[in-house]
Structures are given as structure tokens and as C-alpha cells.
Amino acid sequence: MTDVIDGNAVAESVRDDLGGCIDTLAAAGVTPTLATVLMSDDPASETYVSMKQQDCEEVGIEARDIELDPDAPADRLFETIDDLNADPDVNGILVQMPVPDHVDDRRVLRRIDPMKDVDGFHPENVGRLVAGNARYKPCTPHGVQKVLAAADVETEGADAVVVGRSDIVGKPMANLLFQKAEGGNATVTVCHSRTADLAAKTGAADIVVAAAGVPEMIDGSMLSEGVTVIDVGINRVEADTEKGYELVGDVDFESAKAKAGAITPVPGGVGPMTRAMLLYNTVKAAGLQADVDVSLP
Ligand code: NDP
């Protein structure tokens, strides 16, 4: 029987555990606070931000909603970040990407105080992750690590293949998997669009993490029996539905499930974990800034 991993259930248990940490912070007079900054009128970005705010409110994190005109000068965004950096009541800052073309997104990431960088994308936090001393692990790969642990998938000694090398998913994912630490100690191969014979790589893996953004590109013929398949991809494809599309992953679920020992679905796999780990990082940030030991799980 293939274990279809329920990302919603794992995310729920992460949120439950955070409840105790938030109580500890409350006892110390601290309400963890996340500021979201949206400089876009893209409906998808608006939806992502409102979901993040709703998640915060559900667990007792205060959400501050800042919206900037997408046509405003870049300096307006940088000044907003400076104000949030200086505000002692704000623990986490999230600038929803993508920002408009006239704003240099790397400058945005560098401008956020690394202590408040709950996405974990500031160069200081990236450096710490690579050095094996992470402060804030990026939410999606951290969520994948939690899912693997919840499904009792052993990473130590496993051959893991990460398909994708982006800064937000593939690179940090590979780093977390090979670190000499719990949830790591795997032997990691990172594949990308120039990889020769991807199927040979995925077919030899014990764990495949698919994060390429190509609908259903990995199917059962590219996998070995008993493999663990983590599908990070979220792709809109045209479909005969009310909305005119449906969401599919980077993995062809049915054929992969026939081979896999464990697999995450899309939706309901990694997506909810990404959202939960943002809450986790915000609580961690509040604890670090107030010097309160919140005993995060
Ligand atoms: P990017 O487009 O930034 O990166 C995609 C990576 O996949 C690149 O490294 C690219 O290679 C590689 N790639 C593309 N095509 C192929 C191919 N045919 N074979 C092998 N490698 C390929 O995407 P992201 O990392 O931002 O996101 C990846 C997917 O994950 C997307 O579907 C996205 O929507 C989803 N996502 C889901 C999240 C969640 O919470 N579940 C969170 C974040 C993202 P190269 O470097 O050579 O171009």
C-alpha cells in the first residue's frame, strides 16, 4: 500500500504545536506579529497574502497588512521595509514576490533585517543555512523536511534527487537534505533543465523531490519501486472545471503512486506545509527577538 501523505494533517499538527509556543510568548507579554507587504495587483499574489494573514489570525499571530501601489517608486517599498525593521512590535516581514519590474528583488531581500526575514531569503540567512547553522529555514523545503519526518521516511544514508535548483526551493532543499543534522545526511543529486538523462537520476533515488514547475513531468516509469515522492510543483493547467483550470504537480500522480512507497498529492501535500512553516518562523522570530525560549518542535 502506498502511503499518500496528508500534508493538511501534518500542517495541522505543526500549528497545534505552535499553540503552546504562542502561549509561552503571551505569558511574556509578546504577541508574535507578521507584516506582509504587497506591491502588486496580481490576483494570485493577493490571494497568497490574504491566506497568510488568515493563517496568522487562526493561530494567534497578529498580521499587519501593508499594500503599496505597484506603480509607486521602488524607494517607497524600501522605506516601508526600513520602518518595519525599526518597529519593535513587528517580528517578521514578508514581501510578497514577485515585486514590479522596476524594483530590484535582490535589493528587497537584502533590505529586510535578517532577524525579521521569516522567508529565510536574506543572504545572511542563506549563508547560515549553507553553513549548517540555519536561523530561519525557507518555508517550503523546511515543510518538506517535516513531511518526511512525519511519514517516517529516513533521510540518513538515502539517495535523494532534487529536481529544480531555484533559490527558494531547490537549492535550500538540497542543502537541508545533505546537512549533517536530523532530517539530513542524505546523498543529494540536484537536477535541472540541463541535466542529461533525468530519468536515470530519479530512477536511482530513494527520495525524489520534484520542484521544476513543469506539469506532471515525472511519471512512474522514471521511478524505482518503493521510492518516496515529494511533489512541490503547483501548476495551473487548463481543465473543464468551473474555473477553467485545475492544479497539478510536477509528478504524474497515478503512475507515480503505483511505484511509490509514499507520495504527496497536489493539492494537499507540500502547499499547506509551506504556509505552516511561515507561522513557525514567525513564532521563532518573536522568541529570538524577545529572548524567550519558546521550545519550538
Ligand atoms: P523556478 O522556475 O524558479 O525553478 C524551476 C527549476 O526547475 C529550475 O532550476 C529549472 O532548471 C528546473 N527545471 C525546469 N524544467 C526542468 C526540466 N524539464 N527538467 C529538469 N529541471 C527542470 O521554480 P520554483 O523553484 O520557484 O518552483 C518550482 C515549482 O514549485 C513551481 O511549480 C512552483 O509553483 C512550486 N512551488 C510550490 C510551493 C509550495 O508551497 N508547494 C512553494 C514554491 C514553489 P534551470 O535552473 O536550469 O532553469
Side-chain angles (χ1 to χ4, degrees), residues 8 15 34 36 38 42-59 61-63 65 67 94 96 234 236 243 245 247 267-268 270-279:
N8 283 307
R15 279 196 296 269
L34 174 71
T36 57
L38 176 65
D42 168 44
S45 291
E46 286 169 358
T47 305
Y48 288 140
V49 167
S50 73
M51 283 184 339
K52 287 167 186 172
Q53 288 166 351
Q54 195 185 325
D55 289 343
C56 284
E57 278 152 22
E58 278 171 20
V59 296
I61 294 174
E62 192 175 313
D65 173 22
E67 291 182 19
L94 182 146
Q96 183 65 41
I234 302 178
R236 270 188 192 192
K243 291 178 175 165
Y245 67 86
L247 295 180
V270 176
M273 291 306 298
T274 299
R275 291 167 62 180
M277 300 327 288
L278 176 65
L279 306 176

Side-chain angles (χ1 to χ4, degrees), residues 118-254:
V118 285
D119 265 335
F121 298 153
H122 186 287
E124 179 179 313
N125 287 321
V126 175
R128 289 183 65 125
L129 175 86
V130 174
N133 182 27
R135 180 188 283 135
Y136 304 121
K137 296 181 183 177
C139 301
T140 300
H142 193 190
V144 171
Q145 252 190 336
K146 289 273 179 195
V147 155
L148 290 169
D152 289 326
V153 176
E154 183 59 84
T155 55
E156 182 164 334
D159 288 322
V161 166
V162 178
V163 185
R165 57 177 166 183
S166 72
D167 292 342
I168 62 167
V169 188
K171 283 181 197 161
M173 184 77 256
N175 266 287
L176 289 177
L177 285 169
F178 70 58
Q179 289 296 340
K180 199 169 187 174
E182 207 181 322
N185 288 314
T187 303
V188 182
T189 304
V190 182
C191 299
H192 44 76
S193 67
R194 315 294 165 88
T195 295
D197 202 353
L198 179 66
K201 305 283 189 284
T202 54
D206 303 308
I207 299 170
V208 173
V209 181
V214 181
E216 300 177 325
M217 63 171 282
I218 295 171
D219 65 26
S221 71
M222 301 167 70
L223 299 166
S224 65
E225 287 288 343
V227 63
T228 297
V229 181
I230 305 293
D231 192 353
V232 178
I234 302 178
N235 308 293
R236 270 188 192 192
V237 293
E238 267 185 39
D240 191 12
T241 62
E242 205 177 304
K243 291 178 175 165
Y245 67 86
E246 63 178 353
L247 295 180
V248 300
D250 289 352
V251 174
D252 175 47
F253 184 76
E254 289 306 328

Side-chain angles (χ1 to χ4, degrees), residues 57-125:
E57 278 152 22
E58 278 171 20
V59 296
I61 294 174
E62 192 175 313
R64 287 230 201 135
D65 173 22
I66 295 151
E67 291 182 19
L68 300 178
D69 183 340
D71 295 325
D75 277 346
R76 182 82 49 79
L77 176 57
F78 295 128
E79 284 157 15
T80 301
I81 294 171
D82 292 345
D83 289 346
L84 294 170
N85 284 341
D87 185 337
D89 292 333
V90 171
N91 305 115
I93 302 170
L94 182 146
V95 178
Q96 183 65 41
M97 296 290 170
V99 286
D101 289 344
H102 66 279
V103 182
D104 177 350
D105 51 6
R106 288 187 186 268
R107 250 187 96 192
V108 172
L109 300 182
R110 286 198 303 270
R111 193 83 168 212
I112 297 171
D113 179 342
M115 291 299 291
K116 299 190 178 187
D117 166 41
V118 285
D119 265 335
F121 298 153
H122 186 287
E124 179 179 313
N125 287 321

